Each structure stands twice: as C-alpha cells, then as structure tokens.
Amino acid sequence: MKSKKEKQTKGGSEMFDNIIAKIEELLNRFGEGIVEILRGEKDIAKYSMELKVKMDEIGKEMIKEVCGLVDEIVRNEKERKARYDVVRKDRRNIKTIFGDVEYIRTYYKNKEDGGYVYLADEILGIEKYQRIDKAVKAAIVEKVVEMSYEKAAKEVLGEEKITRQSVMNILKRIEAAQLDRIEDNKKGVAGSKKVVKELYIEADEDHISLQSGEGKIAKLAYINEGYKEEEGIVKRKELKGVHYFSSIKEKPEDIWSKVSEYIEERYETEKIEKIYLLGDGAAWIKEGLEWIPRAEFVLDRFHLMREVIRISRGNKKIFAGIIEALKGRDREKFEKLVAEAMEKAEGDEKAKKRIRDSRRYIANHWDNIVLELDNRIIKGCSAEGHVSHVLADRMSSRPRGWSEEGAEVMVKLLSLKYNGVNLREAYLKEICSKEEKKEKILKEIVRKNIKKIKKQIEETRNNVPILARGKVDLMFRVLKGLSTRDFLNAVVF
C-alpha cells in the first residue's frame, strides 16, 4: 500500500506530465501551422483561431489538474483525517476565462460540529453555489462599462455563453459603497499635494430612463486644472488633472462634500488663486458654492450659446449684437435685441415662447456670465462633452431600462474607469476579496505542501524530454521559456 507522500508525489507528477503533454501538443501544432502558412494553405486569421482553441484547452486542463491536486492533498493529510470524515466525491462545473471546467472535489463532515464542507473549494477560493469564476466576473465588469451585457459576455467568453441575467446578477452583487471605498483607497496613495493657481470644477447632468418609466438625473462633477498647453499653445481637447464624481442616488451635498474633500487632500488650497465652478446654473450645481470655499460660479459657454442661438434664430446681426452686449455687460442693449427678435418672430407663438424662456435664462444668470475669464486657457465649459463621453454614451444615448441600483453602480463604475482605476483588478481585490476565514487546519495543509509543490515543479522542468535532449530549436526555446516563465523572450527568433 502506497504511503501518503508517495500518493501526493504521484498525483503531482501526473498533473505536470499531463500539462507538459498538452503544451508539447500545442507546440507541435504551432510548428505545423507555420509550415501551413508558408505553403499558403491557411492565413493568419484561421491560424489564430485554431491556436486560441488549443490554448484554451490547455488553460482548462491546467485548472482542472490544479483543482484535482488540491483536493488530493487535502484528502491525504492526517490533520484533515483527524477533524473531517469523507462523505463522498462530487463533480462540479465552473465557467472560467478558458471555458467550462469540470472537476471533482471531496465532501467532508466535521467530526466536532457535524457541519459539511468542500475543503478544497475553500482553499481554491470557490464559493458555495458559485458557477462563474471570479476572473470571468472581473473581466465582464471591465467590459460592461463600454458595451451591453450581451456583448460584454461574448467579448470575454466568446462562444461560451452566459445569459444577460447572469451578467446583471454580477452587477447586482456590487454595492455602490464598495465602489466609493475603491475611490477612497485610491486617494490614500495620492502622494504630495499639488500647487496650482487656478482650479476648475465643472458640472452637468444626464437624464436616465428607469425600468419603471421614471426618469432620473445622473449628476456629474469633475475637477480639472485647465487645458494642457504645449509651448504656449492651448490644446483645447485635453484637460489636466481630471477627476470625476458621479451619482444618481446621492444628494447634491454628498457629491460636493466628496469634491471638497478631494481638493483638500490633493491641493495646497491656500496657494490656489482662483476656483471656478462652471455649469448651467442648476440648483444642485450652484449648491457647490456652499462647499467649495472661494469658488466663483460661471455660466458655461455651451448652455449660454444655446440660448443666444434660440433668441437670434439664425439672424447673424442679432446674434453678434447679443454677444457684444454680453461681453460689455450691457443689459439695456441685450433687452433691445431680444425685443427685436420678438418682433421678427411675430405670429410664431412657439418661437416667441422659446425666446422668452431663453431671455429669462440669461437674465437669471446675468451676474455669472463671464465670456472672457482672466485665465486665457479656460473659456467656457467642457462639461457637456464630458457628460456625453463619460455617461451618456453608456447610460442614455440609446434607450435602456435601468434599475435605480444598477444605474447607480454603472455611473460609479464609469467614473472609476475614467479616473484611471483598473476595474478588473479593483473587482478582484476590493469587491471579491473577503476576510481570511480559512480554518487553522487548512492553513497548515497549505503551508506544509508549498515546498513539495515547488520541488515537483523544478523536477518536472529537469525531466521534460524536449528540454533534456539539448537540441536548441524553436520548440526547445518556447518550452524552456514556459518552464522558466520567460515565454515572450523565448519566442523571439
């Protein structure tokens, strides 16, 4: 009868032999494919597809073997035998980034409390009832901010389909508070505070349609340091130091408190000479003045020009006259031009109403109209374009029915993405990670077997036939690269 050590050594050896066999099979196909391309029997597109299938097969085989090895190690450990009785072996399927993988795990009963558990799953980090690997979920979260649920799933899994509902369930398990913590953690590594003369806070909103038929406003505020310059030339499309904040459910004061806190943590506030708050004059935007000390509100140029165009209705003389009146802060001239526009719209009641509404909008914000700011880098507001780029493209440009919770998570994911957060890494580290709960027995089993596995890996490297024969050809270089984790350098020839 074989000892526990012999069983484990055999199991580990078989695992590595199986994987090496698969890799050698891939390399043979790799070489054959090159010949077929040179002969004109196939093109690189067909070859790439075949190679992808083979590489996915290897990935699935490796995951299956690792799951089996971990289960075998746990089953043969004396510490496990002292605490748990074997009940049965069960098959389990899990969807990975390589495709569906089926593996066998052992079901145990705790001798002390009578509880049941799959110990290998706890080591592997596979949760109860989990059917989709966390790496797949993380990849889908990264993609779903750019495309529909269906497209995101297909982008990650190809023909290995999962339903739209499954993707929705992945997002439902993300809490807005978790995303806020990711943002807080990012702030914690900011480094030294920046010194700037001017700071710009721009704000706008997007209108979201919910499944209930109700409409919601997605609020977007972002900080920037003005447009980038190169040798004195303003690059109008690129802003410096941009950072986004967005929400559907949060109150205005919650958003502005985050903006204020961010400024305090990132900038030497006493050295900022001017802080401009730019927007369309909505109440929630102006509320920012209560939270940002010394901020000055400026009506953004996009919305202002829109109202001027509505008043002038294509009349170049009236349009130019209103612009001149605004620049000169000449209220009397502005009112005369509005009256002239009303006369020209005689008989068109809808046009008159639009003129009156636009006149009221400009009059209400007269003191906040600044066409020529002291800083020549900023003239107007870029918020409208940023709403389209950051929110509208995903949230409202095409009709969608969002749940309120789903929409809130999505706008926060979008902000994180444009703030430079790697969503895949953040999902795995901040959302999936849980407090270490492994029992002492499992920690001990893991600790005891790490050295054994490392030794088996080294022995496998030294006993691969293609490496041992000494002939330095393409296959040798590729497999040697794989065995030493230097694959990219190995395939350069």
Side-chain angles (χ1 to χ4, degrees), residues 4 8 73-84 111 441 445 448:
K4 177 190 75 171
Q8 287 185 3
I73 288 172
V74 173
R75 192 170 60 250
N76 292 328
E77 279 293 336
K78 65 179 182 180
E79 289 88 352
R80 190 279 307 164
K81 293 176 181 178
R83 292 278 305 278
Y84 294 90
K111 293 180 180 181
I441 178 178
I445 290 173
K448 285 174 60 178

Side-chain angles (χ1 to χ4, degrees), residues 272-317:
I272 301 175
E273 296 175 7
K274 290 277 189 178
I275 300 178
Y276 296 107
L277 172 59
L278 300 97
D280 65 0
W284 79 266
I285 295 176
K286 282 193 169 183
E287 190 171 329
L289 296 172
E290 300 174 18
W291 290 87
I292 315 298
R294 299 184 291 113
E296 175 186 346
F297 180 74
V298 177
L299 186 67
D300 74 81
R301 178 168 286 197
F302 174 86
H303 290 91
L304 176 60
M305 290 298 105
R306 183 185 65 189
E307 303 308 322
V308 173
I309 290 169
R310 286 176 177 174
I311 293 172
S312 59
R313 299 175 65 241
N315 188 303
K316 293 182 179 179
K317 179 184 174 184

Side-chain angles (χ1 to χ4, degrees), residues 36 40 171 297 404 417 431 453 462:
E36 289 167 346
L171 294 180
F297 180 74
E404 189 171 7
K417 174 193 171 184
I431 297 173
I453 297 298
N462 297 330

Side-chain angles (χ1 to χ4, degrees), residues 345-370:
E346 186 177 359
D348 189 340
E349 293 304 318
K350 287 185 178 179
K352 285 185 175 182
K353 183 181 184 304
R354 284 196 294 270
I355 291 171
R356 284 194 296 268
D357 290 344
S358 295
R359 180 259 166 206
R360 185 183 306 110
Y361 180 88
I362 292 174
N364 287 343
H365 298 291
W366 186 266
D367 292 337
N368 303 122
I369 294 172
V370 180

